[in-house]
Amino acid sequence: MQIASRFGQSVTLERQKAVLFEPERIVPVLVPVAVEGPWSYRVPEGMDVRPGSVVQVPVGPRKVIGAVWDGEPDTSIDPKRLRNIERVFDVPPISDDLRRFVEWVANWTLAAPGMVLRMVLRVRDALEPEAPVKGIAPAGEPPARMTLARTRVLEIIEDKPSGWTKAALADAAGVSTGVVDGLIEHGTLALVDLPRKPRPALDPDMPGPIFTPAQGEAAVELRAAARDGYSVTLIDGVTGSGKTEVYFEAVAEVLRKGRQVLVLLPEIALTSQFLDRFEARFGGRPAEWHSELSPKMRARTWRDVAFGEARVVVGARSALFLPYRDLGLIVVDEEHDSAFKQDDRVPYSARDMAVVRGHISGFPVILSSATPSVESRVNSETGRYRRVVLEERASGAEMPRLTAIDMRNDGPERGRWLAPKLVSAMTDALEDKAQSLLFLNRRGYAPLTLCRHCGHRFQCSNCSAWLVEHRFRGQLVCHHCGHHERRPDACPACGTADSLVACGPGVERIAEEVGDLFPDARRLVLSSDSFSSPERMRHELKLVEDGEVDIVIGTQLVAKGHNFPLMRLVGVVDADLGLANGDPRAAEKTFQLLAQVTGRAGRIGGGGLGFLQTYAPENPVLRALLSGDLDRFYQEEIAARRAAGLPPFGRLAAIIVSAPQRSEAEGYARALVRAAPRVQDRSIVVLGPADAPLALVRGRHRQRILVQAPRGFDLQAWLRAWLAAAPAAKGQLRVQVDVDPQSFM
DNA sequence: AGCACGCCGACT
DNA sequence: GTCGGCGTGCTC
């Protein structure tokens, strides 16, 4: 006789009897608590667990979800303190591979393993079977007293006897649900459990698109990789080269083997455009995983992934921690995107951890980007990754022609931000009924407001950053902490009325200028401020896609995830923005952003134009972009990184010191920098405190210190020891390790 | 006095 | 990560 469950955790009665006479069993359980390793729990009589079993255990007064872990339980603990496992959930145990992955990520990120496991088990609802939807089915004779309404209901259900919900049936018959209830009461109809609607079948053999010869070759390589075990392939192809359709061929190949596929996208790129393309290739939609999912959908998807019913998951970075039954491929699209990095709690890079997961489980990983990260480019050049290059747009259109506008000579008049050359090109585009995009990575109207009379500058009372004026809202907003106040009419310092001036442009101000220059053009601001909801955002993106807008003024939102087929002209209002901060990746990030945003021009039909307004046209990033030789940027950046020992030639960690006061955080950071061993032979170099990001998070100031170490040095071990030896720092230190884990495998 | 807040240690 | 205990400081 079997008791419980389909997952081999069943016990026969005979075995259960035997268990009664066995000595008590103590097992390690990883709990979602920030401690070094698993804790020990007793297994009650008759309960069968094994490594990976998902269990409920008590921690203090709480009940938490954890997983039985590997190895011997900690025996140093007083047996009297041991408590029982309360419950085993009827879901597949966490696989050996996923447990190893959790350990690996914990070790790499210096996070507690339980905190990493928490990312796997976060979906409490998924651990209980989903309650079936109640439906209506015929069950007996019609009642003696028939009415017109009852007849209609019975006619309809006779026509199609299954699959009705109460509301749908009543609606179809044009009656109220009370009529159906009445028929249930008479036994004519009955409530039954409806079978769950299955996931759409995905067909890997549907005819794909017609490939260019270059795409065809790339597809052959990817299919070959997909048939094999672990490898990493970088698809490096210009915007519009059809990378997605090419990696779909690898997805198809893995589907044919009956294994699961994960496609990771930056959150913002999870648009219906992508899902439509997927459906066109595979005849059905994939399972989705992102922050917008309802708890119910989240639970359903988690279970479908665990039971192997979801064949393809398209998701944001957290989809990496789902408990796949048989994962056979991960694709990381837009692999350079910083949205794959999680900064809080467990600080991980989903792109790098995808490679780790592939390595542990022995399946291929595909990275895709028009502007790959420097790390991935280096790894492909050293042969650690394979590289597939797509140099031409699939449509045959030429890449946009880029021109620098030197603002020192050709800039606009005072108080204006758009140079005459750019305005004239926009005029041409308007006349040709083509769309223009003005890109400025700065929300709001003006980044700084000051008093013309006394020089007072508006600062955030929490974090001392400048307050950004948002003129549409009539407010001054802190972009660090979200603090906002009404924009006053008089200066709060000297009391002078009408003395406040806005300094510098934001997208709202550019939109104002566009309104002055082109009063008849239909213009639209696209920034995270302009959408109250995701639906609103989709709606506005659609307007642009359909040509209902002539001029788009946008922040980095327009660089990512969404294609605008009618866009001909792109004007970068400030191409120098972002190049001059303390971030070691500033050049790379600016290069990627500008390449992506200018790549929006002329995707279909060609004839694209791009203008870069700059005060520093000799900057290497701009020179590479203007020459159209993107490789040039990589070669220069790689040489510079190699010389400086920065990733991927060395490793980087950020130590974040946080304190309630800014001065405190700074003082503490200085003390840490002094205390750190400054070893002249470069075994450790402390670069910081980095002057750049001084952010405020929930009332606490943060100061970032960058720590750099050459390849081969065990940065994790050093940091661990350092943190342990800094007791005064408790709660004030957080460490982010930001490096290329491939160097460890 | 009552309570809000922050710090700290325990949690198997 | 979460909770409870405890001290501080403030109060329609």
Side-chain angles (χ1 to χ4, degrees):
Chain A
M1 182 189 176
Q2 293 278 308
I3 300 170
S5 156
R6 338 163 223 185
F7 312 113
Q9 295 190 54
S10 53
V11 281
T12 61
L13 274 188
E14 287 73 13
R15 167 138 169 74
Q16 203 184 20
K17 272 182 215 140
V19 166
L20 290 175
F21 304 103
E22 274 174 13
E24 66 168 13
R25 219 176 130 210
I26 298 167
V27 293
V29 176
L30 199 56
V31 288
V33 173
V35 290
E36 285 282 299
W39 279 347
S40 305
Y41 285 85
R42 258 196 203 95
V43 183
E45 287 173 6
M47 180 186 279
D48 195 16
V49 295
R50 57 162 126 170
S53 296
V54 179
V55 294
Q56 174 180 299
V57 292
V59 170
R62 300 180 295 144
K63 299 173 186 316
V64 299
I65 312 290
V68 177
W69 218 243
D70 307 87
E72 292 305 309
D74 176 10
T75 46
S76 67
I77 197 97
D78 179 359
K80 286 196 285 293
R81 286 171 64 197
L82 292 180
R83 300 171 76 179
N84 275 349
I85 294 177
E86 290 172 346
R87 194 174 160 196
V88 189
F89 290 97
D90 195 13
V91 293
I94 305 300
S95 67
D96 295 3
D97 284 357
L98 184 48
R99 295 202 305 281
R100 279 181 60 205
F101 180 61
V102 165
E103 296 261 8
W104 206 103
V105 173
N107 187 46
W108 184 254
T109 60
L110 299 166
M115 290 296 104
V116 181
L117 179 68
R118 195 169 160 268
M119 301 195 287
V120 177
L121 298 175
R122 211 161 25 183
V123 189
R124 181 62 181 76
D125 297 345
L127 303 178
E128 316 284 352
E130 191 183 348
V133 176
K134 288 288 173 191
I136 304 293
E141 293 303 308
R145 248 195 84 222
M146 283 299 286
T147 63
L148 189 59
R150 285 177 169 178
T151 311
R152 277 219 296 276
V153 169
L154 293 181
E155 274 170 13
I156 283 181
I157 205 163
E158 194 180 343
D159 209 36
K160 175 178 170 268
S162 65
W164 291 104
T165 61
K166 194 190 285 178
L169 180 59
D171 191 54
V175 302
S176 79
T177 54
V179 179
V180 180
D181 284 331
L183 287 166
I184 293 170
E185 199 142 308
H186 278 93
T188 314
L189 301 178
L191 278 174
V192 294
D193 290 348
L194 285 185
R196 232 198 75 187
K197 211 168 100 191
R199 295 230 164 237
L202 303 179
D203 179 4
D205 298 316
M206 271 178 65
I210 298 175
F211 281 154
T212 63
Q215 282 181 302
E217 276 174 43
V220 169
E221 281 195 54
L222 287 181
R223 275 193 221 106
R227 278 191 288 267
D228 239 336
Y230 170 77
S231 67
V232 183
T233 307
L234 173 67
I235 313 179
D236 183 351
V238 298
T239 322
S241 58
K243 296 182 290 293
T244 311
E245 278 69 22
V246 170
Y247 74 62
F248 279 172
E249 294 311 303
V251 174
E253 198 64 31
V254 173
L255 282 177
R256 284 184 198 109
K257 290 199 290 188
R259 305 187 72 185
Q260 290 169 296
V261 177
L262 166 63
V263 179
L264 284 175
L265 296 173
E267 183 97 24
I268 190 75
L270 275 167
T271 58
S272 52
Q273 260 186 5
F274 180 88
L275 299 172
D276 290 346
R277 285 161 85 181
F278 187 93
E279 191 166 2
R281 174 62 184 84
F282 295 104
R285 294 221 158 190
E288 292 173 51
W289 186 263
H290 51 82
S291 59
E292 299 288 322
L293 284 189
S294 68
K296 198 172 170 182
M297 278 306 293
R298 190 174 291 271
R300 180 179 294 175
T301 303
W302 194 96
R303 288 180 73 83
D304 284 356
V305 168
F307 287 98
E309 275 157 38
R311 314 303 305 167
V312 178
V313 177
V314 175
R317 59 174 187 247
S318 57
L320 188 57
F321 291 91
L322 288 169
Y324 299 89
R325 199 175 76 129
D326 183 23
L327 188 56
L329 171 69
I330 302 179
V331 179
V332 186
D333 201 348
E334 308 289 352
E335 66 92 25
H336 64 280
D337 199 296
S338 59
F340 288 123
K341 287 186 182 179
Q342 170 156 301
D343 294 331
D344 56 349
R345 301 184 195 93
V346 180
Y348 68 95
S349 157
R351 181 241 299 159
D352 293 349
M353 294 308 120
V355 171
V356 171
R357 200 163 179 182
H359 189 255
I360 287 174
S361 299
F363 60 71
V365 176
I366 293 172
L367 311 179
S368 172
S369 176
T371 51
S373 63
V374 173
E375 284 90 329
S376 297
R377 269 295 295 262
V378 169
N379 284 331
S380 72
E381 281 171 20
T382 59
R384 193 176 266 141
Y385 295 174
R386 305 172 191 183
R387 183 167 174 221
V388 170
V389 182
L390 291 168
E391 281 173 347
E392 279 165 15
R393 288 181 161 178
S395 65
E398 292 292 310
M399 292 301 286
R401 201 157 46 79
L402 301 187
T403 312
I405 298 178
D406 188 336
M407 298 291 271
R408 293 167 303 188
N409 310 318
D410 301 328
E413 59 188 276
R414 220 181 133 73
R416 296 284 181 170
W417 314 99
L418 303 177
K421 277 185 191 168
L422 175 55
V423 173
S424 130
M426 290 171 71
T427 311
D428 293 346
L430 264 179
E431 276 169 14
D432 293 353
K433 310 238 179 295
Q435 283 176 328
S436 299
L437 169 67
L438 295 178
F439 170 72
L440 176 61
N441 201 9
R442 207 188 261 145
R443 293 153 52 209
Y445 184 85
L448 169 67
T449 302
L450 55 78
C451 172
R452 179 169 28 199
H453 184 70
C454 71
H456 173 76
R457 297 167 166 215
F458 284 83
Q459 265 186 320
C460 176
S461 49
N462 295 329
C463 41
S464 63
W466 301 137
L467 292 179
V468 179
E469 178 174 355
H470 284 239
R471 196 159 279 190
F472 295 158
R473 284 159 61 187
Q475 284 186 317
L476 299 172
V477 182
C478 174
H479 284 182
H480 283 281
C481 67
H483 164 82
H484 54 90
E485 52 194 70
R486 260 206 74 73
R487 182 186 185 276
D489 297 324
C491 171
C494 68
T496 314
D498 300 324
S499 67
L500 303 181
V501 282
C503 298
V507 279
E508 288 182 10
R509 194 168 201 174
I510 300 301
E512 186 181 81
E513 187 170 337
V514 167
D516 291 344
L517 293 165
F518 308 104
D520 300 328
R522 297 164 297 175
R523 62 183 196 276
L524 178 70
V525 175
L526 287 177
S527 90
S528 54
D529 297 305
S530 43
F531 319 120
S532 41
S533 66
E535 293 80 55
R536 179 78 192 277
M537 172 167 133
R538 276 194 283 278
H539 173 73
E540 298 202 338
L541 291 172
K542 189 86 170 50
L543 286 180
V544 183
E545 197 184 327
D546 295 346
E548 301 288 324
V549 173
D550 302 312
I551 300 171
V552 178
I553 304 101
T555 61
Q556 63 174 359
L557 211 109
V558 298
K560 297 178 181 184
H562 205 91
N563 298 321
F564 303 122
L566 306 174
M567 199 65 70
R568 183 204 286 177
L569 170 74
V570 172
V572 178
V573 176
D574 184 354
D576 307 328
L577 197 64
L579 278 171
N581 64 31
D583 186 338
R585 289 179 216 268
E588 177 185 0
K589 284 180 180 166
T590 305
F591 167 79
Q592 285 160 344
L593 192 58
L594 295 184
Q596 298 270 345
V597 76
T598 53
R600 298 269 165 245
R603 270 195 63 165
I604 297 177
L609 289 176
F611 292 90
L612 304 170
Q613 297 195 148
T614 174
Y615 289 88
E618 290 309 303
N619 184 289
V621 169
L622 299 188
R623 282 206 331 255
L625 284 167
L626 291 164
S627 70
D629 181 9
L630 302 192
D631 234 35
R632 179 169 160 182
F633 166 75
Y634 286 101
Q635 295 323 318
E636 290 178 5
E637 180 69 11
I638 287 167
R641 294 261 186 108
R642 196 190 296 273
L646 283 165
F649 304 101
R651 280 169 296 146
L652 204 59
I655 298 181
I656 295 177
V657 181
S658 80
Q661 292 298 316
R662 176 184 176 150
S663 57
E664 235 182 298
E666 282 175 353
Y668 206 72
R670 268 195 300 277
L672 280 175
V673 172
R674 267 200 306 278
R678 263 176 203 279
V679 178
Q680 293 308 309
D681 65 2
R682 280 200 22 187
S683 63
I684 284 291
V685 183
V686 177
L687 298 173
D691 21 320
L694 227 194
L696 184 116
V697 177
R698 259 182 283 135
R700 296 185 73 82
H701 282 278
R702 304 197 305 170
Q703 179 80 37
R704 194 179 69 168
I705 306 168
L706 291 176
V707 177
Q708 185 191 338
R711 196 164 219 153
F713 183 87
D714 193 344
L715 190 60
Q716 272 78 9
W718 181 77
L719 282 171
R720 213 186 293 280
W722 194 40
L723 291 169
K730 229 174 172 183
Q732 309 228 318
L733 284 177
R734 255 200 10 248
V735 174
Q736 264 167 252
V737 180
D738 175 14
V739 283
D740 172 21
Q742 188 81 41
S743 60
F744 262 69
M745 299 188 309

